[in-house]
């Protein structure tokens, strides 16, 4: 995704917001889904935490990519990961993406 795609996805409004993540989605006119991840230093000061969060998002997206066909999905990290982050947040982002994949396309 390019900068313009991020801007357009952010302008479309949040599709879902949970404790650790906010998800933005919009149709991209392609046959495949694309992902963008925003993990700022303000939310997670340590690079290891930002990278772990991005790996979790990419893995959940990889598993559900075919169900999200034709969408740009932008995931923003909202909270700094804690010790139980892998289990809790991994389930959260997977559920968010599943819900997004189950929505009817407009």
């Amino acid at each position: 995704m390019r900068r313009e795609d991020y801007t357009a996805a952010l302008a479309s409004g949040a599709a879902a917001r949970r404790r650790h993540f906010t998800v933005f989605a919009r149709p991209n006119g392609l046959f495949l889904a694309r992902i963008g991840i925003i993990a700022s230093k303000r939310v997670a000061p340590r690079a290891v935490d930002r990278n772990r969060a991005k790996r979790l998002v990419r893995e959940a997206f990889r598993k559900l990519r075919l169900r999200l066909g034709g969408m740009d999905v932008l995931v923003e990290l909202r909270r700094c990961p804690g010790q139980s982050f892998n289990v809790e947040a991994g389930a959260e982002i997977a559920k968010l993406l599943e819900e997004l994949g189950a929505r009817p396309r407009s």
Side-chain angles (χ1 to χ4, degrees):
M1 288 178 52
R2 298 182 322 253
R3 180 182 210 94
E4 301 84 35
D5 299 325
Y6 275 75
T7 305
L10 288 170
S12 69
R17 181 172 290 179
R18 298 291 187 274
R19 181 170 183 226
H20 292 102
F21 303 100
T22 302
V23 176
F24 302 87
R26 71 179 197 94
N28 63 14
L30 304 173
F31 294 108
L32 58 105
R34 299 185 299 179
I35 185 105
I37 304 169
I38 300 173
S40 70
K41 284 184 183 180
R42 180 183 58 81
V43 174
R46 295 180 349 147
V48 66
D49 294 332
R50 291 191 305 274
N51 290 334
R52 182 176 49 221
K54 289 190 276 188
R55 280 194 306 272
L56 279 172
V57 171
R58 280 190 214 108
E59 180 63 18
F61 178 76
R62 184 190 64 77
K63 290 178 181 176
L64 297 166
R65 184 176 200 157
L66 296 176
R67 291 177 56 191
L68 297 169
M71 296 188 77
D72 281 342
V73 179
L74 181 62
V75 179
E76 182 178 25
L77 182 64
R78 294 188 65 214
R79 291 188 189 266
C80 186
Q83 293 292 58
S84 65
F85 182 75
N86 284 342
V87 175
E88 194 177 319
E92 181 181 308
I93 191 62
K95 185 171 173 39
L96 278 169
L97 292 176
E98 282 177 19
E99 290 171 4
L100 192 62
R103 287 187 185 170
R105 305 284 191 274
S106 49

